[in-house]
Amino acid sequence: MGDPQPTPPHPPTASPRALTRRSFLRASAVFGGGLAALAAALAPLRHLDDFPTLDQFLQKYYRELTPAEMERILRRIEAEVEREYGVRPQVRDVKPLTGVEYVYAHNLTRCIGCRRCVHACVAENNLSRTPEVQYIRVLRLPHGSLDMEKADHNYAPEWVPEPDHFYMPVQCQQCRNPPCVKVCPVHATWQETDGLTVIDYDWCIGCRYCAAACPYWARHFNFTRPSIPKGQLNPDMAYLGNRPRRQGVMEKCHFCIQRTRVGRYPACLEVCPTGARKFGNILDPESEVSYILKHKRVFIQLKEELGTSPRFYYYFDV
Amino acid sequence: MNRAIRNYLVFLGRCSRIAFAGDWRYYAWMGVLTVFCLLGLNAYAKQFVHGLLVTGMTDEVSWGVYIANFTFLVGVAAAAVMMVIPVYIYNNEELHDLVIFGELLAVAAILMCLAFVTVDLGRPDRFWHLIPGIGQFNFPASMLSWDVIVLNGYLLLNIHICGYLLYCRYQGRKPAKWFYIPFVFIAIVWAVSIHTVTAFLYVGLGGRPFWNSAIVGPRFLASAFTAGPALIILALQVIRRVTAYRITDKALLTLRSIVQVSMLINVFLLINEVFKEFYSGNLHVASSKYLYVGLHGYHALVPWIWTAIAFNVIAMVLLLLPLSRSLRWLNLTCVLCIVGIWIEKGMGLVIPGFIPTPLGEMIEYTPTLNETLICFGIWAFGLLCYTIFLRMSVPILLGTLSQANEGRD
């Protein structure tokens, strides 16, 4: 700490703050050196090429945007994507349909664990290829057990299915009581009227609290700038769906909002070779999912005991 | 009014000038801290450009050593209250002036906490989304929004109490009781709240059985009230050695008894938790198994947690023996407490919560060099702040920096 006596006696005639040449030089040297060290420390910022523009920085929260503002933002995003990927996309803000609540049902008896759904999802939803982000994780479980600790995530046999195993793909379960929505400090993720939990990628601050809260490991973080090879971009985009994400934000499965809200099936369902995946409107008593939930004897909501009440059901063909 | 503002500005000016004055030891210490700050800033600049990819964190272990340090330091900040209670509730004279040193430590610790949370953000440029009124503040649903309020509130309370008391001392007048005593009592409750809310951050997650336990809150408080006063004991001895400020052994020993009781409770709660986890033997024990004995051949944290437990138990025994009344042994004990608790509730609490993942996958976590440099940088920044606070407040408490001697420097 040094000398506790901060006021050494001065001769009364001398001005205390008189600048001598020497003290001036010394102060300048210290100041200059400090400035140089600070500049050197901040040097990596020269490589910053993702700095937000003023428009991006000041962009308002999704649910507070007027239609006109939304329109302007969509056009801006289209221009940004075109500049980066050389393709003019169509970015829409697709709203939930009234009288619709989406439910997914997955037939564990039929699933062969081929992971086609995983890769169809990557392509459809413009997921980063390096590092690769995937919304669907397929677990290989030993016959007779739902204990996830026995799951093999990296199975790679020559042929699937393998004897004595079954396969369980896990993606966002679109919970009725989503823990991720509860914990988000800035309302960047919420549940829409059709049951989809979505993320405003331009509002998320990247604290990853939702990732800690999710019991299904469904939320994925962009640890660096996502990269998609030119030519592999899916130009049919939705604001809350598959438009390219930026570094430092969360993303997750949204049941292909850009497809399902205009009456198409999710990409993972379309690609499934065994018809294990069923998707539809639970509020429509005639829908396939309504039939399944009414007539199958057993179905499972993953980790039901947590009270999250998933809209993703697993069932068996018995 | 103008005159009051002018006086205050002169006070601030003199305080900041004195922060740059000292003997060679002071410059050497500040120089070393500045170097570490700059190294940390450099590492953070890299992270700012390339993203959190430069850390050891992954989708599987999505919080790491930043949040671990944050959790520990919230405890240190909360512990300032353990000096305030004896002074203001039990009128302990020995600790009276020392409260300011404890509260200044709390201010420095909260600044470090805020820095650790900021470097953990994926999009720090969007921090304003968190500001109530301007952004979208998910209060009261999100525990993180509670944390923003209680941490910043605690920071303001402590700045007010310390700042007011020091300014009064500088002016040589008696502080008006109504202007600080109510805040002191609010701060006592508030200190408990900052650590409870931080515990609830973890406890509220039903999908993470390792954290989803009612004992986390009490354990947080017990460990905070051990490590915090232990840190203050060490800090006070440094102050005593390098300044003319007198601190009695009796004051240090009062703090020792606080550490003693807290450590006993801390170890007791640890035993409770370990028993419940292992004896019942249900599937939720996976994370605890990973932490204490390793799981499926993964055991990166095992040596750490046993070091922590050994340190805590040795410290507890030393605290119970009269041996730790001698300052040399007391210092050793304090170091053991601080290191033990830093491991136990930093890495030992945050990391196992993520291992195995909710889908049963085993992915371990090791901080990278860049991440570690950022942590050192923030610790150096905190120490730099605390040193400057002390550099300003010690002369004021000694009376060598006062309104009476204005204009003579």
Side-chain angles (χ1 to χ4, degrees):
Chain A
M1 187 64 38
D3 191 347
Q5 193 67 252
T7 52
H10 286 286
T13 48
S15 162
R17 286 192 209 116
L19 275 181
T20 65
R21 191 181 147 79
R22 207 166 132 195
S23 74
F24 176 74
L25 284 178
R26 197 171 56 190
S28 318
V30 169
F31 187 70
L35 222 53
L38 186 67
L42 292 174
L45 294 180
R46 278 174 310 167
H47 304 290
L48 191 64
D49 48 7
D50 192 32
F51 200 72
T53 62
L54 194 64
D55 265 356
Q56 288 172 335
F57 179 73
L58 293 176
Q59 185 175 320
K60 289 200 318 205
Y61 180 49
Y62 173 83
R63 290 196 279 183
E64 288 189 338
L65 291 170
T66 64
E69 286 170 327
M70 189 72 217
E71 202 52 39
R72 230 186 40 239
I73 289 170
L74 294 176
R75 297 297 86 78
R76 193 194 78 211
I77 293 172
E78 285 175 353
E80 283 164 10
V81 172
E82 188 177 13
R83 213 173 310 133
E84 190 169 348
Y85 296 94
V87 186
R88 183 79 181 183
Q90 200 199 358
V91 188
R92 289 160 301 150
D93 173 33
V94 279
K95 298 288 184 194
L97 305 167
T98 45
V100 172
E101 183 183 340
Y102 294 117
V103 154
Y104 217 121
H106 182 269
N107 188 335
L108 287 172
T109 317
R110 285 204 180 180
C111 181
I112 55 169
C114 64
R115 293 202 184 99
R116 282 198 180 89
C117 51
V118 176
H119 302 294
C121 167
V122 170
E124 165 68 28
N125 288 307
N126 292 319
L127 294 180
S128 173
R129 311 302 205 272
T130 37
E132 182 148 321
V133 176
Q134 299 174 347
Y135 289 167
I136 307 175
R137 175 60 62 94
V138 186
L139 310 185
R140 187 187 73 175
L141 284 155
H143 189 83
S145 174
L146 262 177
D147 175 8
M148 304 248 188
E149 266 189 67
K150 300 197 178 107
D152 186 351
H153 292 243
N154 304 307
Y155 66 93
E158 216 163 311
W159 297 98
V160 286
E162 302 151 275
D164 302 325
H165 290 94
F166 74 97
Y167 304 89
M168 184 167 72
V170 183
Q171 60 208 73
C172 177
Q173 308 279 302
Q174 309 292 357
C175 306
R176 290 179 178 84
N177 306 311
C180 52
V181 169
K182 190 161 60 178
V183 301
C184 176
V186 294
H187 285 299
T189 187
W190 66 93
Q191 200 175 175
E192 300 251 286
T193 53
D194 55 2
L196 301 183
T197 292
V198 292
I199 302 171
D200 182 350
Y201 310 120
D202 290 337
W203 194 258
C204 169
I205 59 171
C207 70
R208 305 187 300 297
Y209 195 14
C210 56
C214 177
Y216 307 102
W217 197 65
R219 304 191 65 105
H220 302 279
F221 186 68
N222 288 287
F223 279 90
T224 192
R225 204 173 174 182
S227 85
I228 305 164
K230 280 186 182 175
Q232 291 188 25
L233 197 75
N234 172 12
D236 177 26
M237 297 176 184
Y239 185 92
L240 296 174
N242 59 343
R243 67 181 166 116
R245 273 72 63 186
R246 295 178 63 197
Q247 172 178 304
V249 301
M250 227 8 121
E251 57 176 304
K252 68 169 197 65
C253 162
H254 39 77
F255 283 179
C256 287
I257 211 168
Q258 65 280 1
R259 300 167 65 105
T260 50
R261 280 189 179 172
V262 294
R264 298 171 67 198
Y265 278 125
C268 51
L269 182 148
E270 270 186 6
V271 82
C272 180
T274 65
R277 291 174 166 268
K278 303 291 178 193
F279 178 84
N281 179 10
I282 190 71
L283 301 181
D284 173 7
E286 303 296 315
S287 68
E288 208 175 4
V289 286
S290 292
Y291 179 88
I292 290 168
L293 292 190
K294 212 175 295 162
H295 293 97
K296 292 295 170 187
R297 282 163 61 108
V298 183
F299 52 85
I300 299 164
Q301 284 177 309
L302 219 51
K303 306 197 184 188
E304 192 181 2
E305 74 278 10
L306 297 179
T308 49
S309 187
R311 288 192 182 84
F312 198 108
Y313 296 87
Y314 297 89
Y315 69 100
F316 307 91
D317 253 347
V318 276
Chain B
M1 189 64 196
N2 275 339
R3 212 186 128 140
I5 293 173
R6 200 198 67 90
N7 281 345
Y8 194 63
L9 288 178
V10 169
F11 163 71
L12 289 183
R14 290 186 76 196
C15 282
S16 41
R17 226 168 302 133
I18 204 174
F20 289 95
D23 62 5
W24 69 269
R25 289 176 303 176
Y26 181 70
Y27 283 122
W29 169 243
M30 297 300 267
V32 169
L33 291 180
T34 309
V35 167
F36 273 99
C37 281
L38 287 172
L39 284 175
L41 190 65
N42 180 253
Y44 183 61
K46 284 181 197 153
Q47 182 188 299
F48 193 81
V49 172
H50 302 291
L52 289 160
L53 190 75
V54 300
T55 69
M57 289 185 276
T58 53
D59 258 348
E60 286 81 9
V61 183
S62 52
W63 281 341
V65 72
Y66 298 152
I67 297 297
N69 275 301
F70 162 77
T71 309
F72 175 78
L73 284 166
V74 172
V76 171
V81 82
M82 290 319 272
M83 300 182 64
V84 179
I85 291 176
V87 171
Y88 289 97
I89 297 185
Y90 300 113
N91 296 319
N92 182 316
E93 284 301 315
E94 294 291 332
L95 289 178
H96 202 277
D97 274 353
L98 306 185
V99 168
I100 286 184
F101 298 140
E103 284 177 340
L104 289 172
L105 180 67
V107 172
I110 295 279
L111 291 176
M112 283 193 261
C113 287
L114 297 177
F116 272 116
V117 179
T118 307
V119 298
D120 191 61
L121 289 184
R123 298 244 38 130
D125 53 314
R126 297 184 187 160
F127 74 95
W128 64 275
H129 297 180
L130 264 173
I131 302 173
I134 307 176
Q136 286 288 328
F137 200 52
N138 188 7
F139 184 82
S142 173
M143 279 299 123
L144 212 49
S145 66
W146 281 76
D147 228 10
V148 169
I149 291 178
V150 293
L151 287 180
N152 287 299
Y154 193 63
L155 180 64
L156 293 178
L157 277 171
N158 278 302
I159 288 177
H160 167 72
I161 297 167
C162 299
Y164 179 67
L165 289 180
L166 285 172
Y167 188 49
C168 286
R169 185 70 72 95
Y170 172 82
Q171 289 183 311
R173 66 186 164 96
K174 227 169 133 51
K177 278 210 153 80
W178 64 271
F179 201 59
Y180 80 100
I181 294 283
F183 294 104
V184 167
F185 282 94
I186 294 172
I188 291 175
V189 182
W190 208 285
V192 175
S193 87
I194 62 168
H195 218 28
T196 311
V197 166
T198 306
F200 285 179
L201 210 73
Y202 299 99
V203 173
L205 305 181
R208 305 274 178 188
F210 183 72
W211 297 334
N212 189 215
S213 146
I215 209 167
V216 173
R219 272 192 73 191
F220 266 34
L221 288 179
S223 59
F225 294 159
T226 314
L231 203 57
I232 293 172
I233 291 178
L234 296 180
L236 289 179
Q237 289 184 76
V238 174
I239 295 169
R240 182 160 80 166
R241 182 158 298 189
V242 297
T243 73
Y245 196 82
R246 254 193 81 255
I247 293 163
T248 59
D249 280 357
K250 206 171 152 220
L252 296 175
L253 292 177
T254 310
L255 286 171
R256 170 184 170 269
S257 37
I258 294 173
V259 179
Q260 186 182 46
V261 174
S262 305
M263 185 51 113
L264 279 172
I265 298 173
N266 186 41
V267 172
F268 171 69
L269 293 179
L270 174 74
I271 293 169
N272 275 264
E273 173 139 56
V274 169
F275 171 79
K276 176 256 173 189
E277 289 283 294
F278 286 94
Y279 191 81
S280 53
N282 65 25
L283 286 178
H284 289 164
V285 79
S287 293
S288 294
K289 261 195 189 149
Y290 169 70
L291 175 62
Y292 290 107
V293 292
L295 186 65
H296 307 316
Y298 297 90
H299 34 62
L301 286 180
V302 175
W304 288 94
I305 196 67
W306 287 103
T307 308
I309 291 178
F311 280 17
N312 283 354
V313 171
I314 296 170
M316 182 186 71
V317 172
L318 284 174
L319 284 164
L320 290 176
L321 297 176
L323 194 63
S324 57
R325 290 183 160 277
S326 91
L327 285 183
R328 202 185 293 163
W329 284 97
L330 183 61
N331 291 343
L332 172 73
T333 310
C334 287
V335 171
L336 291 176
C337 289
I338 294 165
V339 176
I341 284 166
W342 183 84
I343 298 173
E344 176 199 310
K345 94 184 222 208
M347 301 292 272
L349 175 98
V350 176
I351 311 305
F354 292 100
I355 303 173
T357 70
L359 301 184
E361 202 179 3
M362 298 294 299
I363 305 280
E364 296 195 289
Y365 162 82
T366 324
T368 59
L369 175 66
N370 203 73
E371 209 174 350
T372 313
L373 282 175
I374 292 178
C375 293
F376 276 119
I378 294 175
W379 273 94
F381 166 73
L383 287 174
L384 198 70
C385 291
Y386 192 46
T387 311
I388 290 174
F389 296 159
L390 294 177
R391 184 73 189 94
M392 294 168 172
S393 56
V394 168
I396 295 174
L397 292 174
L398 285 172
T400 52
L401 182 69
S402 68
Q403 202 159 36
N405 60 19
E406 245 171 45
R408 271 196 272 149
D409 54 352

